[in-house]
Amino acid sequence: QDFKIALAREMVIPSPRFYEEVDDEGEDEVAIVRKVFQTNGVALQDTLEILEIEAMKEAAQLLIAARQIMVVGVGGSGPAVTYAGNRFLLLGLKAYTCSDFYLMLMAASMLSRQDVVLTISNLGTTREIMETAGIARDKMARVMCITNNSLSPLARMSNPTLVTASREVTLPEEAVASLICQIALLDALFAL
């Protein structure tokens, strides 16, 4: 399993860093601000283009019917995890969030078939998330994910899988468009 995850990580093609694309000579602040907005806008539009509406509807129904919802993610996905928990609580759903690995494992070990785990992982290969999802599946809980990698091990073990389409997936400072796409998916789930 570790070899498969390492191989999946190696197969990710890094995209150029945003600040390398910015022309330092003669580029004014307005152009830089426009590029930031355009990059995020393109990521949102690309995500909308590949979004499977049936998967969104299924995810919304699972969340509504769940006895409890566990939302997990680490690193750059942490803000999306907190956001999801807050949004679901506004709907009156019993949701709790976890971004600490040991707490994730303990909480996953107490799940049942009436529970849902929403995993948020940009690469879909994070060891902590994979182990938590594995335990949740062993307890017969339903595992769904939001990821930028539809071919990831996490995507293969989740149903439904909601895929984002931001282009940057390798560096923490480039994860803003990914986070924006994750938030947009969560807002769409909230609306559904």
Side-chain angles (χ1 to χ4, degrees):
Q1 183 71 7
D2 289 339
F3 174 75
K4 288 179 184 178
I5 292 171
L7 182 61
R9 284 184 180 143
E10 289 296 318
M11 293 177 66
V12 173
I13 300 169
S15 63
R17 293 180 174 185
F18 177 78
Y19 55 81
E20 289 174 352
E21 296 172 359
V22 174
D23 178 13
D24 290 332
E25 296 177 19
E27 184 134 40
D28 65 1
E29 291 82 2
V30 173
I32 292 170
V33 170
R34 285 187 187 279
K35 279 189 179 185
V36 170
F37 275 82
Q38 288 169 348
T39 299
N40 292 335
V42 167
L44 285 169
Q45 188 59 44
D46 289 349
T47 297
L48 181 59
E49 292 296 322
I50 66 164
L51 189 61
E52 294 181 14
I53 299 303
E54 288 304 314
M56 288 291 292
K57 288 175 16 183
E58 181 183 0
Q61 288 301 315
L62 286 170
L63 293 170
I64 289 169
R67 179 178 66 106
Q68 63 182 347
I69 303 162
M70 179 176 159
V71 187
V72 298
V74 296
S77 297
V81 169
T82 301
Y83 185 79
N86 293 341
R87 297 295 275 173
F88 296 155
L89 284 174
L90 284 173
L91 292 173
L93 302 175
K94 185 176 180 187
Y96 59 97
T97 62
C98 203
S99 56
D100 177 87
F101 180 43
Y102 295 106
L103 293 177
M104 279 185 226
L105 295 178
M106 285 190 291
S109 69
M110 293 185 265
L111 295 172
S112 71
R113 117 177 14 257
Q114 294 85 26
D115 302 324
V116 170
V117 177
L118 172 58
T119 60
I120 304 176
S121 174
N122 198 36
L123 292 176
T125 58
T126 308
R127 180 181 64 87
E128 295 88 348
I129 302 304
M130 293 297 301
E131 287 186 31
T132 301
I135 291 171
R137 283 184 53 183
D138 291 345
K139 295 295 183 175
M140 307 301 285
R142 188 71 176 263
V143 176
M144 65 174 82
C145 75
I146 295 176
T147 185
N148 197 58
N149 184 355
S150 63
L151 302 176
S152 69
L154 182 61
R156 288 193 301 270
M157 72 184 311
S158 300
N159 184 21
T161 297
L162 307 175
V163 182
T164 61
S166 63
R167 289 191 172 93
E168 68 281 341
V169 295
T170 57
L171 299 171
E173 66 268 18
E174 296 176 334
V176 174
S178 300
L179 177 60
I180 289 170
C181 291
Q182 291 168 352
I183 297 293
L185 283 179
L186 292 167
D187 280 342
L189 282 174
F190 179 82
L192 287 174

